[in-house]
Every structure is written in structure tokens, then in C-alpha cells.
Amino acid sequence: MTDLLLERQGWGNQTTGGDGGAQIVASDLVSLRAALESTDPAYVTFIPGTIITVDTPIMVKSNKTLDGRGSGVTIKGSKMVSALWLQGVENIIVSDVKFDGQWPIYDQSADAAGDAIHLEGTNNIWVHHCHILHWADGAVDCRPDTLNTNIS
């Protein structure tokens, strides 16, 4: 777990995510949502080849790590909603996760469309080595009150 922390850089260099929290292996939407929406710290990894389709945003709580290194995990969007919604939280790491919004005309504007990751009023967020494509609105949408965020 902590070897991921050695890669931190920029504004996200103090972010510890869910290091020291429960180690959870997510295999589906239910297990991922339970881990991320819990108020307890969590370090989430994935079963290799996992594909998770999100139909309503996952409301991520503070002190979480999503470590997709070596798993080939894909989080897919559905119904034009954001996949991960971070509002008023801190200390989140998202590393090596593929986000596919599946929006067929993603380069065209869409009303009320979703983002792969939506940040609002957050602090110490680190998005690292993620592959983000086909989202109708944006890849990582940062509102002005988001602080200490690094996207690498």
C-alpha cells in the first residue's frame, strides 16, 4: 500500500488517502460503493479485469484510496451521471483506474452530463495515472473551492 505514496507529487504530495484503513478488494458496484461511501478510511484494490458500471454517482467520503495498479479495472458511466462525486471531502487518492463514460459523441456538449470525477469543496486530492475517456461533460471537474489537487 504505502509504495503508492512514494509516487506522490505536486499539490497532492501530502495526501495519504486510505492508507492504514481497511483493505478492501472491490469486485462489483456494491462492494465499491460500500467502501467509498463509508465514513471509515479504506484502501481499495480490484480483482484483475474488473468492470464496474455506475448508474448513480458514488458519493466518496474522506480518507480513501482507489489503487487500480496492475488490475486493469474499468469504471464505466451510465445515464450521463458522474462516476465519483467528491464534495466537502479530503484526502483521496485515485490511481491507475480507467474511466469510460461510454458517451458516443463525447466531444459534443451535453446538458446535465456527468464527469468521471467531480470535485467540489475538496482538499488533498491526488488523481494519478488514470485513463479517462468518453465523458459527455469532463474528465475531472474541479470547482473553484477545490484545494491541493494534483492530476498526473
Side-chain angles (χ1 to χ4, degrees):
M1 286 190 299
T2 58
D3 62 323
L4 177 59
L5 298 181
L6 298 176
E7 298 182 34
R8 293 173 300 175
Q9 58 186 323
W11 288 103
N13 70 354
Q14 297 300 311
T15 305
T16 57
D19 196 43
Q23 296 181 33
I24 298 168
V25 179
S27 59
D28 56 25
L29 179 58
V30 172
S31 59
L32 180 61
R33 187 179 297 278
L36 297 182
E37 292 185 347
S38 166
T39 56
D40 297 326
Y43 194 102
V44 180
T45 59
F46 299 90
I47 293 174
T50 297
I51 298 173
I52 296 172
T53 301
V54 177
D55 53 1
T56 59
I58 297 173
M59 307 302 284
V60 181
K61 301 290 190 260
S62 295
N63 304 309
K64 303 290 190 257
T65 296
L66 276 76
D67 184 353
R69 293 177 298 166
S71 71
V73 63
T74 299
I75 297 177
K76 292 187 174 188
S78 173
K79 298 182 184 177
M80 293 177 48
V81 299
S82 295
L84 302 181
W85 191 278
L86 286 68
Q87 184 173 9
V89 298
E90 61 185 6
N91 207 30
I92 308 292
I93 296 172
V94 182
S95 182
D96 296 272
V97 175
K98 179 179 179 183
F99 291 90
D100 185 351
Q102 303 186 94
W103 185 248
I105 50 174
Y106 63 92
D107 59 342
Q108 296 180 17
S109 177
D111 293 336
D115 310 304
I117 303 171
H118 177 89
L119 306 172
E120 189 171 334
T122 58
N123 190 26
N124 287 332
I125 309 298
W126 183 42
V127 179
H128 180 61
H129 290 181
C130 291
H131 185 100
I132 303 174
L133 65 156
H134 302 134
W135 289 87
D137 188 15
V140 180
D141 190 357
C142 298
R143 298 295 181 200
D145 55 354
T146 296
L147 304 171
N148 299 327
T149 298
N150 182 270
I151 300 169
S152 59

